[in-house]
Amino acid sequence: LSAGVCCCCAALRPRYKRLVDNIFPEDPKDGLVKADMEKLTFYAVSAPEKLDRIGAYLAERLSRDVVRHRYGYVLIAMEALDQLLMACHSQSIKPFVESFLHMVAKLLESGEPKLQVLGTNSFVKFANIEEDTPSYHRRYDFFVSRFSAMCHSCDHDPEIQKEWWGWGLQSVHHLGRDTLYSPLHSNAGAQSVRSKINVFLSYFSRIGPPSSPTGGEKEENPALLAENCFRELLGRATYGNMNNAVRPVFAHLDHHRLWDPNEFAVSCFKIIMYSIQAQYSHHVIQEILGHLDVRKRDSPRVRAGIIQVLLEAVAIAAKGSIGPTVLEVFNTLLKHLRISVDFELGDSRSSVGSATFSTCSKDSDERIVQNAIIQTIGFFGSNLPDYQRSEIMMFIMGKVPVLGTNSQSLDTSHLGDLGTRRIQIMLLRSLLMVTSGYKATTITNALPPPFLDPLLSPSLMEDSELRQLVLEILHNLIDRHDNRAKLRGIRIIPDVSDLKIKRDKISRQDVSFMKKHGQQLYRHIYLGCKEEDNVQKNFELLFTSLALITIELANEEVVIDLIRLAIALQDIAIINEDNLPMFNRCGVMALVAAYLNFLSQMIAVPAFCQHVSKVIETRSLEASYFLPETIFKDKCNLPKSLEKHEKNLFFLTNKIAESLGGSGYSVERLSVPYVPQVTDEDRLSRRKSIVDTVSIQVDILPGNNTEDKIDNTEEITFEALKKAIDNNGIEEQEKEKRRLVIEKFQKAPFEEIAAQCETKANLLHDRLAQILELTIRPPPSPSGTMTITAGHAHYQSVPVYEMKFPDLCVY
């Protein structure tokens, strides 16, 4: 009877339950009943609305078998679920998936490693199925935490631990591929899921791949598996969810303090930059810049680590699409450069009188930050196309603070003179790196007026390092044929042809540039030679500047101007109106010798070459300290004075004019001494005015060449005074002065005449302004005059009887 009742009850059970029960054999060792499994599969495909019930019943049986430790039936249930999952593709599969995920969660919660591995395998199979409709209700937080725990598991057996890591990584990999960047899974908890995935992936990247893994090891190595998963997830990222891939990495690096040292951070962001799509590179750079702003108050080494990561990212992004972040990158880096200098100077002020090792260490750390910023700016700028690089050059130059000007430069008012100097040096070093390798078709493109004027302004400062940086930047922009390395070091070159200098014919644009701006270049070279703090490097850079101008920009007219400039430099050393030290005077003489030797061989005029060679040979025998090979030695015996030297030790204007006149050069202008232009930059610079340093000797001296000037040095005796009082001598001097003025206006170039006239006009204007300021006063008012003291205005009335009126107003 009991058997009949059981059969009757079994017949009354739903069909799906009977089909599910039939797939389980009496002995679990026999495995899944395949014939009944085919019937169940056919039933599920034919009636997809029953899928959710089938899944729920299978989940119920699996939960009961897990609790009763009937693991054989658990394996059979999971196999059946996997087959149903692979066979059924319809919208009704969504409820069945919920039952499936519930069963996988049960397996992962069990303490048996075999069941956990079984659950991870089933989840991997499920993750490989592509769904056509979104599942907004589905959440994966539990699976992420469980798989992450598997990745972080520790076991005494290294092999078992390695297997656990591998299973956990594979599961999270497929989970991330299925949900991380898929538009079909954008539920509310997606951000936390993505954060957990990226954090643990970056954690496992720290292990590092083996040096030379084989094919089998590549599949089993957790580090390589983590890296490959990370790359694949990043490759699927789009612009909208790029933050979810990058920001968790920042959080992980901050939490584990991995910015110092930053080897792992650099390798991690290299993976990111190479894995994402090229058009999204600028977004990663923006995120790094934003994180740098957030951590701007951290230690210098942390900021240096972030900047180093930015450098690596920029190096990769510069090869592709940079996007709209070019100026933003430079603006942010320059801002942090100012902040670093501010920190450095603030620490040095607070430690005055108590210098400690920690303070010195922090200063050096700030220097590391500053060098990293400069390196990043230079590398980024040097990889930009020419049209963008010229804009960046203008942008950086506009940030250089210049004393006395109100520009868009960095705010250094609170830093003082030392801080301003530090900022100037840092920005010029950055500009030097940006201009490295820049090859403009014409010199006008390389040195446009809005860039040339502010660039030459720091060369007027009384700081040798600033002047050196300006000259090096000029070399980068002028040298278009890579000749600078061949001219390195100031020396007497025996044969210039051995240098194999490359040059092209001077273009019309270059000729026009020299007509407009050549006097500016000459002027700054001239003033640069008159600085008292010049060292050997300054003279070497000045020599290179003159040589590069000769190679790249010199036609016959420029050659004459350069010779006049060289003779004027020689006069600086001989006359010594600026009271230069003897080393500087001999250095200028050596500079002129080295340059005229180079110039004479470049223009290849035999008579000119003979005169220069003769002077150099005489100097080597009688005054070797006038040559660069001697004066720039560590120990050099300097002369006490230069007034008693013979004429054959100097380059004479009349000799040069004779030698060049026979070769077709227009030598009339050689008789007019070079006088630099006067500009507003002199008033902005921290040096004496050009009006005070350059005498107007063109109008009063009877001679124009070095030979005449040497003859004019004579003793003041009674006879000399008697001649000076003689009226006839005065008349002759007046005639000579008029003749010189007429000759100057006939032969001198228009630029020099305008410069001298401007000098006189400025003098007259200043003196007239002083006279007017002293004489013109506002008329007194009965209401009184207002004075401001301590921020308050006070009126002082004037009685009428004390007021003084003009005579015409009184009757």
Side-chain angles (χ1 to χ4, degrees):
L1 180 62
S2 59
V5 172
C6 292
C7 293
C8 180
C9 291
L12 295 176
R13 297 181 67 190
R15 184 182 179 186
Y16 72 90
K17 288 188 176 181
R18 285 184 278 123
L19 291 175
V20 171
D21 291 336
N22 291 338
I23 65 174
F24 292 94
E26 295 182 1
D27 187 2
K29 295 181 180 179
D30 295 338
L32 182 68
V33 180
K34 296 182 178 180
D36 293 327
M37 186 64 211
E38 292 178 359
K39 294 178 181 178
L40 178 62
T41 303
F42 179 77
Y43 177 77
V45 172
S46 302
E49 67 276 3
K50 301 293 184 180
L51 266 176
D52 56 337
R53 300 182 182 182
I54 295 173
Y57 185 61
L58 277 172
E60 179 185 349
R61 288 202 55 157
L62 184 138
S63 300
R64 185 171 62 247
D65 292 335
V66 170
V67 172
R68 296 176 180 177
H69 301 286
R70 300 169 61 179
Y71 299 138
Y73 287 116
V74 172
L75 296 175
I76 293 174
M78 291 305 300
E79 185 179 355
L81 283 169
D82 292 341
Q83 292 188 19
L84 288 174
L85 200 63
M86 300 298 294
C88 301
H89 298 285
S90 65
Q91 296 181 356
S92 301
I93 201 175
K94 300 300 178 185
F96 177 75
V97 170
E98 296 301 322
S99 301
F100 170 79
L101 294 178
H102 177 69
M103 286 183 282
V104 173
K106 285 289 184 181
L107 295 179
L108 294 176
E109 288 177 342
S110 65
E112 289 293 327
K114 293 182 180 179
L115 296 184
Q116 294 184 14
V117 172
L118 178 63
T120 56
N121 285 333
S122 298
F123 187 85
V124 168
K125 294 178 182 177
F126 159 72
N128 288 327
I129 298 176
E130 296 184 1
E131 299 184 56
D132 300 330
T133 56
S135 299
Y136 298 108
H137 62 283
R138 194 179 302 163
R139 303 183 65 91
Y140 294 93
D141 293 349
F142 169 77
F143 295 101
V144 172
S145 60
R146 294 299 300 177
F147 294 147
S148 299
M150 292 177 65
C151 295
H152 291 82
S153 64
C154 297
D155 196 276
H156 298 291
D157 189 352
E159 294 297 329
I160 296 178
Q161 179 177 338
K162 189 175 181 180
E163 290 181 2
W164 279 102
W165 286 357
W167 287 115
L169 284 169
Q170 288 184 5
S171 301
V172 178
H173 173 213
H174 289 85
L175 172 63
R177 187 172 62 183
D178 185 48
T179 62
L180 183 59
Y181 303 125
S182 175
L184 302 180
H185 300 85
S186 56
N187 55 350
Q191 187 170 359
S192 62
V193 174
R194 295 159 186 161
S195 301
K196 292 178 181 179
I197 292 175
N198 286 329
V199 166
F200 96 85
L201 282 177
S202 60
Y203 174 82
F204 273 96
S205 298
R206 284 190 299 166
I207 302 175
S211 56
S212 58
T214 59
E217 292 178 349
K218 288 181 180 179
E219 298 178 357
E220 299 177 358
N221 192 316
L224 286 176
L225 181 60
E227 182 177 338
N228 293 333
C229 296
F230 196 39
R231 290 181 183 275
E232 183 175 349
L233 294 177
L234 291 169
R236 291 171 174 263
T238 60
Y239 183 81
N241 49 34
M242 185 63 66
N243 293 340
N244 299 322
V246 179
R247 291 179 181 176
V249 179
F250 287 123
H252 176 76
L253 297 175
D254 292 341
H255 179 71
H256 293 278
R257 299 179 180 179
L258 296 175
W259 294 112
D260 179 31
N262 66 340
E263 287 80 6
F264 168 68
V266 170
S267 62
C268 192
F269 273 90
K270 280 185 177 180
I271 294 174
I272 293 175
M273 295 301 295
Y274 280 118
S275 301
I276 63 175
Q277 302 180 40
Q279 63 267 27
Y280 303 145
S281 298
H282 65 90
H283 187 84
V284 179
I285 295 176
Q286 284 179 331
E287 291 295 324
I288 300 175
L289 292 173
H291 194 68
L292 182 60
D293 289 335
V294 173
R295 304 298 299 271
K296 64 182 179 181
R297 298 292 178 183
D298 285 10
S299 64
R301 290 191 174 273
V302 170
R303 287 181 281 127
I306 299 175
I307 295 170
Q308 182 67 28
V309 169
L310 178 63
L311 172 61
E312 298 294 337
V314 161
I316 299 172
K319 301 175 183 177
S321 173
I322 300 295
T325 60
V326 176
L327 290 180
E328 182 181 353
V329 171
F330 286 97
N331 195 28
T332 303
L333 290 175
L334 294 178
K335 179 181 68 176
H336 284 277
L337 181 63
R338 182 190 59 79
I339 293 174
S340 177
V341 174
D342 193 7
F343 285 161
E344 181 184 2
L345 295 177
D347 294 336
S348 63
R349 295 192 198 101
S350 61
S351 61
V352 172
S354 60
T356 60
F357 176 77
S358 59
T359 303
C360 297
S361 176
K362 192 167 185 180
D363 290 345
S364 62
D365 291 344
E366 290 294 345
R367 295 294 178 93
I368 294 175
V369 175
Q370 295 163 14
N371 292 331
I373 293 175
I374 292 172
Q375 188 178 5
T376 304
I377 291 175
F379 191 88
F380 193 10
S382 60
N383 282 277
L384 292 175
D386 289 343
Y387 71 93
Q388 280 187 326
R389 199 191 300 197
S390 60
E391 294 178 359
I392 295 304
M393 288 160 50
M394 294 286 294
F395 179 76
I396 297 177
M397 198 66 241
K399 296 292 183 179
V400 177
V402 179
L403 296 173
T405 60
N406 295 323
S407 60
Q408 300 297 323
S409 61
L410 295 179
D411 182 17
T412 59
S413 57
H414 63 288
L415 297 179
D417 293 344
L418 181 59
T420 301
R421 177 185 177 276
R422 290 282 300 158
I423 291 292
Q424 288 174 333
I425 291 177
M426 294 297 170
L427 292 179
L428 290 177
R429 286 178 58 191
S430 304
L431 186 60
L432 177 63
M433 295 193 68
V434 172
T435 56
S436 178
Y438 181 63
K439 298 291 188 298
T441 54
T442 62
I443 196 65
T444 307
N445 296 335
L447 293 171
F451 177 75
L452 179 62
D453 296 337
L455 174 63
L456 295 179
S457 295
S459 66
L460 298 175
M461 302 296 178
E462 292 181 348
D463 190 305
S464 60
E465 187 174 358
L466 284 174
R467 298 196 302 273
Q468 291 171 11
L469 290 172
V470 171
L471 290 174
E472 289 178 347
I473 293 170
L474 281 176
H475 297 169
N476 284 342
L477 298 174
I478 295 176
D479 185 19
R480 291 170 287 178
H481 297 87
D482 299 324
N483 292 314
R484 183 176 50 174
K486 304 171 185 177
L487 302 170
R488 187 169 299 163
I490 180 171
R491 64 195 188 278
I492 302 297
I493 304 174
D495 190 355
V496 176
S497 60
D498 293 339
L499 301 179
K500 297 181 180 179
I501 292 176
K502 301 177 182 178
R503 62 185 306 188
D504 294 332
K505 186 178 179 181
I506 309 301
S507 63
R508 292 183 179 179
Q509 293 85 348
D510 293 345
V511 173
S512 176
F513 173 84
M514 290 304 294
K515 288 183 178 180
K516 294 180 180 179
H517 307 289
Q519 295 296 326
Q520 277 183 279
L521 299 177
Y522 305 151
R523 172 176 177 268
H524 285 270
I525 292 175
Y526 179 85
L527 296 179
C529 292
K530 299 177 68 173
E531 296 293 344
E532 295 183 1
D533 60 342
N534 280 338
V535 294
Q536 179 179 352
K537 185 176 181 181
N538 291 87
F539 290 110
E540 290 178 352
L541 295 174
L542 288 167
F543 167 74
T544 306
S545 301
L546 290 169
L548 289 176
I549 293 175
T550 304
I551 295 171
E552 299 286 347
L553 305 170
N555 56 5
E556 292 187 2
E557 183 177 353
V558 175
V559 167
I560 297 298
D561 289 336
L562 290 171
I563 295 175
R564 293 174 59 228
L565 175 61
I567 297 300
L569 294 177
Q570 180 178 252
D571 294 342
I572 290 176
I574 297 174
I575 301 173
N576 196 24
E577 292 180 348
D578 298 281
N579 297 321
L580 295 176
M582 186 55 66
F583 171 78
N584 294 62
R585 298 172 68 184
C586 294
V588 172
M589 298 291 285
L591 168 65
V592 174
Y595 173 65
L596 289 180
N597 171 69
F598 177 82
L599 177 63
S600 63
Q601 297 186 55
M602 289 296 295
I603 63 177
V605 176
F608 185 29
C609 294
Q610 184 177 2
H611 171 65
V612 173
S613 301
K614 184 177 180 180
V615 173
I616 293 175
E617 183 180 356
T618 306
R619 288 185 179 185
S620 62
L621 297 176
E622 301 179 9
S624 59
Y625 41 77
F626 285 167
L627 298 177
E629 288 81 3
T630 303
I631 187 60
F632 296 124
K633 288 182 179 179
D634 294 336
K635 296 181 180 180
C636 176
N637 296 324
L638 298 176
K640 296 181 180 180
S641 64
L642 303 183
E643 284 74 13
K644 297 182 180 180
H645 287 79
E646 299 294 334
K647 299 178 185 178
N648 55 0
L649 295 177
F650 306 120
F651 300 98
L652 304 179
T653 306
N654 56 354
K655 297 287 187 182
I656 297 175
E658 292 176 4
S659 60
L660 294 179
S663 299
Y665 283 85
S666 178
V667 295
E668 291 82 6
R669 292 170 49 237
L670 282 177
S671 59
V672 181
Y674 170 77
V675 177
Q677 288 181 342
V678 181
T679 65
D680 292 336
E681 293 175 354
D682 299 294
R683 297 169 186 157
L684 304 179
S685 63
R686 310 182 71 184
R687 55 175 296 146
K688 294 183 293 183
S689 174
I690 192 68
V691 177
D692 300 329
T693 57
V694 180
S695 62
I696 316 174
Q697 56 188 355
V698 168
D699 297 337
I700 61 176
L701 287 179
N704 294 321
N705 52 32
T706 306
E707 184 178 359
D708 296 331
K709 293 173 185 176
I710 296 172
D711 293 336
N712 285 334
T713 58
E714 60 180 1
E715 295 183 0
I716 300 177
T717 61
F718 176 76
E719 295 295 332
L721 293 175
K722 189 176 179 180
K723 291 181 180 178
I725 299 174
D726 188 8
N727 293 332
N728 295 330
I730 295 175
E731 293 179 359
E732 292 179 359
Q733 289 181 4
E734 291 294 334
K735 291 180 181 180
E736 182 67 18
K737 286 171 60 177
R738 288 194 292 270
R739 187 187 65 81
L740 290 174
V741 171
I742 295 173
E743 183 179 357
K744 178 186 68 174
F745 278 90
Q746 289 178 347
K747 298 181 179 180
F750 176 76
E751 293 82 0
E752 291 191 7
I753 297 174
Q756 294 177 3
C757 293
E758 184 179 4
T759 302
K760 296 179 181 179
N762 290 336
L763 284 172
L764 293 174
H765 178 76
D766 295 339
R767 188 55 57 90
L768 181 60
Q770 294 177 3
I771 295 172
L772 293 176
E773 184 179 357
L774 294 173
T775 56
I776 298 178
R777 301 292 184 185
S781 174
S783 61
T785 59
M786 184 182 68
T787 60
I788 299 176
T789 59
H792 302 284
H794 302 280
Y795 289 89
Q796 298 177 356
S797 61
V798 180
V800 177
Y801 59 84
E802 291 184 1
M803 295 175 58
K804 295 182 179 180
F805 296 93
D807 296 337
L808 296 177
C809 298
V810 179
Y811 60 93

